[in-house]
Amino acid sequence: MEYRAAEHKIRQILREQPPSTALQKIVDLLYEEFEKYSWVGIYLVNGSALELGPWKGTQTTEHTRIPLGQGVCGAAASSGKTELVDDVTKDARYLSCFLSTRSEIVVPIKRSQVVLGEIDIDSDRPAAFDANDKMFLEKVADMLSTHI
Ligand code: SME
Protein backbone atom coordinates (compact mmCIF):
# COMPACT_ATOMS: atom_id res chain seq x y z
CA MET A 1 0.00 0.00 0.00
CA GLU A 2 1.15 3.54 -0.72
CA TYR A 3 2.01 5.67 2.30
CA ARG A 4 -0.63 8.24 1.33
CA ALA A 5 -3.37 5.62 1.11
CA ALA A 6 -2.35 4.16 4.48
CA GLU A 7 -2.40 7.63 6.02
CA HIS A 8 -5.91 8.14 4.69
CA LYS A 9 -7.09 4.79 6.11
CA ILE A 10 -5.55 5.56 9.50
CA ARG A 11 -7.33 8.92 9.64
CA GLN A 12 -10.56 7.09 8.85
CA ILE A 13 -9.98 4.53 11.63
CA LEU A 14 -9.30 7.33 14.11
CA ARG A 15 -12.49 9.10 13.05
CA GLU A 16 -14.69 6.03 13.23
CA GLN A 17 -13.31 3.87 16.04
CA PRO A 18 -13.14 4.48 19.79
CA PRO A 19 -9.55 4.66 21.14
CA SER A 20 -9.99 1.19 22.67
CA THR A 21 -10.10 -0.45 19.23
CA ALA A 22 -8.43 2.18 17.00
CA LEU A 23 -4.85 1.46 18.08
CA GLN A 24 -5.13 -2.28 17.43
CA LYS A 25 -6.72 -1.66 14.02
CA ILE A 26 -3.90 0.71 13.05
CA VAL A 27 -1.25 -1.79 14.19
CA ASP A 28 -3.02 -4.49 12.15
CA LEU A 29 -3.14 -2.25 9.08
CA LEU A 30 0.58 -1.40 9.26
CA TYR A 31 1.47 -5.07 9.67
CA GLU A 32 -0.79 -6.31 6.90
CA GLU A 33 -0.21 -3.61 4.28
CA PHE A 34 3.57 -3.27 4.48
CA GLU A 35 5.27 -6.56 3.81
CA LYS A 36 8.63 -5.48 5.20
CA TYR A 37 7.04 -4.61 8.57
CA SER A 38 7.55 -8.02 10.24
CA TRP A 39 6.37 -7.05 13.72
CA VAL A 40 4.45 -3.91 14.72
CA GLY A 41 3.75 -2.78 18.26
CA ILE A 42 2.78 0.26 20.28
CA TYR A 43 4.45 0.80 23.64
CA LEU A 44 2.90 3.23 26.12
CA VAL A 45 4.82 5.15 28.77
CA ASN A 46 3.78 4.23 32.29
CA GLY A 47 5.90 5.88 34.98
CA SER A 48 9.54 5.08 34.24
CA ALA A 49 8.87 2.24 31.81
CA LEU A 50 7.34 1.43 28.44
CA GLU A 51 4.55 -1.10 28.47
CA LEU A 52 3.52 -3.06 25.40
CA GLY A 53 0.04 -2.23 24.14
CA PRO A 54 -1.48 -3.45 20.87
CA TRP A 55 0.86 -5.45 18.64
CA LYS A 56 0.75 -7.73 15.62
CA GLY A 57 3.27 -10.24 14.35
CA THR A 58 3.87 -13.95 14.20
CA GLN A 59 5.72 -14.12 17.53
CA THR A 60 5.17 -12.72 21.01
CA THR A 61 7.94 -10.67 22.60
CA GLU A 62 9.33 -11.18 26.08
CA HIS A 63 9.97 -7.41 26.25
CA THR A 64 6.52 -6.32 27.37
CA ARG A 65 8.00 -3.84 29.87
CA ILE A 66 11.11 -1.83 29.00
CA PRO A 67 12.66 0.67 31.45
CA LEU A 68 12.98 4.11 29.79
CA GLY A 69 16.78 3.95 29.70
CA GLN A 70 17.02 0.55 28.03
CA GLY A 71 17.03 -0.72 24.47
CA VAL A 72 16.42 1.16 21.26
CA CYS A 73 12.86 1.68 22.51
CA GLY A 74 14.05 3.27 25.74
CA ALA A 75 16.46 5.52 23.84
CA ALA A 76 13.72 6.85 21.56
CA ALA A 77 11.41 7.44 24.51
CA SER A 78 14.13 9.30 26.44
CA SER A 79 15.25 11.52 23.57
CA GLY A 80 11.86 11.97 21.91
CA LYS A 81 13.58 11.28 18.59
CA THR A 82 13.04 8.54 16.02
CA GLU A 83 15.59 5.74 16.14
CA LEU A 84 16.42 3.97 12.91
CA VAL A 85 18.65 0.90 13.19
CA ASP A 86 19.80 -0.52 9.84
CA ASP A 87 21.57 -3.50 11.41
CA VAL A 88 20.43 -4.59 14.86
CA THR A 89 23.51 -6.80 15.32
CA LYS A 90 25.67 -3.66 15.30
CA ASP A 91 23.70 -1.65 17.87
CA ALA A 92 24.76 -2.33 21.45
CA ARG A 93 21.50 -0.90 22.79
CA TYR A 94 19.38 -3.41 20.92
CA LEU A 95 17.22 -5.73 23.05
CA SER A 96 16.60 -8.83 21.01
CA CYS A 97 13.03 -10.03 20.64
CA PHE A 98 13.11 -12.18 17.53
CA LEU A 99 16.04 -14.03 15.96
CA SER A 100 14.76 -13.10 12.51
CA THR A 101 14.92 -9.31 13.07
CA ARG A 102 17.55 -7.44 11.01
CA SER A 103 16.48 -3.80 11.30
CA GLU A 104 14.20 -1.68 13.47
CA ILE A 105 12.51 1.73 13.63
CA VAL A 106 11.12 3.30 16.78
CA VAL A 107 9.02 6.47 16.50
CA PRO A 108 7.98 8.37 19.64
CA ILE A 109 4.36 9.46 20.04
CA LYS A 110 4.46 12.95 21.59
CA ARG A 111 1.94 15.51 22.78
CA SER A 112 3.38 18.97 23.57
CA GLN A 113 6.91 17.51 23.59
CA VAL A 114 5.94 14.86 26.17
CA VAL A 115 6.53 11.28 25.03
CA LEU A 116 3.36 9.23 25.61
CA GLY A 117 4.45 6.10 23.81
CA GLU A 118 5.99 4.88 20.60
CA ILE A 119 5.52 2.85 17.46
CA ASP A 120 8.07 0.03 17.27
CA ILE A 121 8.54 -1.88 14.02
CA ASP A 122 10.95 -4.74 13.40
CA SER A 123 11.87 -6.02 9.95
CA ASP A 124 13.38 -9.31 8.90
CA ARG A 125 15.11 -7.38 6.09
CA PRO A 126 18.37 -5.52 6.67
CA ALA A 127 18.09 -1.70 6.43
CA ALA A 128 14.36 -1.99 5.69
CA PHE A 129 13.46 1.53 6.82
CA ASP A 130 14.25 4.72 4.94
CA ALA A 131 13.38 8.42 5.12
CA ASN A 132 9.92 7.70 3.65
CA ASP A 133 9.08 5.22 6.41
CA LYS A 134 10.37 7.72 8.96
CA MET A 135 8.26 10.54 7.55
CA PHE A 136 5.16 8.35 7.24
CA LEU A 137 5.44 6.84 10.72
CA GLU A 138 6.15 10.21 12.32
CA LYS A 139 2.92 11.45 10.75
CA VAL A 140 1.07 8.39 12.09
CA ALA A 141 2.57 8.99 15.55
CA ASP A 142 1.36 12.56 15.37
CA MET A 143 -2.17 11.40 14.51
CA LEU A 144 -2.09 8.90 17.38
CA SER A 145 -0.95 11.47 19.92
CA THR A 146 -4.45 12.80 20.42
CA HIS A 147 -5.94 9.31 20.76
CA ILE A 148 -3.90 7.71 23.52
N1 SME B 1 14.22 -4.22 20.07
C1 SME B 1 13.62 -3.35 21.05
C2 SME B 1 12.79 -4.13 22.02
C3 SME B 1 11.38 -4.34 21.58
S1 SME B 1 11.19 -5.60 20.46
O1 SME B 1 11.83 -5.17 19.16
C4 SME B 1 9.59 -5.88 20.14
C5 SME B 1 14.68 -2.53 21.74
O2 SME B 1 15.87 -2.69 21.51
O3 SME B 1 14.31 -1.68 22.57
Side-chain angles (χ1 to χ4, degrees), residues 39 41 43 50 52 61-63 66 70-75 88 93-98 101 104 106 118 120-122:
W39 187 92
Y43 282 91
L50 290 155
L52 184 60
T61 174
E62 65 184 86
H63 296 294
I66 303 174
Q70 286 181 23
V72 181
C73 286
V88 294
R93 302 166 305 172
Y94 177 67
L95 296 171
S96 173
C97 288
F98 320 111
T101 298
E104 178 170 26
V106 184
E118 57 194 30
D120 176 23
I121 305 183
D122 284 27

Side-chain angles (χ1 to χ4, degrees), residues 27-141:
V27 163
D28 293 352
L29 179 136
L30 292 171
Y31 175 79
E32 278 151 20
E33 299 295 341
F34 295 89
E35 214 188 318
K36 65 183 181 180
Y37 295 0
S38 309
W39 187 92
V40 180
I42 292 178
Y43 282 91
L44 298 169
V45 174
N46 187 0
S48 59
L50 290 155
E51 282 172 1
L52 184 60
W55 63 273
K56 178 118 174 152
T58 54
Q59 304 168 70
T60 54
T61 174
E62 65 184 86
H63 296 294
T64 53
R65 193 175 181 282
I66 303 174
L68 284 181
Q70 286 181 23
V72 181
C73 286
S78 303
S79 70
K81 296 211 169 79
T82 296
E83 290 285 348
L84 215 160
V85 181
D86 282 342
D87 180 351
V88 294
T89 65
K90 298 214 169 87
D91 195 314
R93 302 166 305 172
Y94 177 67
L95 296 171
S96 173
C97 288
F98 320 111
L99 285 176
S100 53
T101 298
R102 291 291 168 268
S103 55
E104 178 170 26
I105 188 167
V106 184
V107 182
I109 302 169
K110 296 181 279 188
R111 201 190 301 150
S112 316
Q113 302 306 314
V114 177
V115 177
L116 305 174
E118 57 194 30
I119 303 168
D120 176 23
I121 305 183
D122 284 27
S123 181
D124 294 349
R125 300 185 196 169
F129 307 101
D130 61 17
N132 291 322
D133 294 286
K134 182 173 182 282
M135 220 168 12
F136 164 62
L137 294 167
E138 285 178 350
K139 207 171 274 179
V140 175

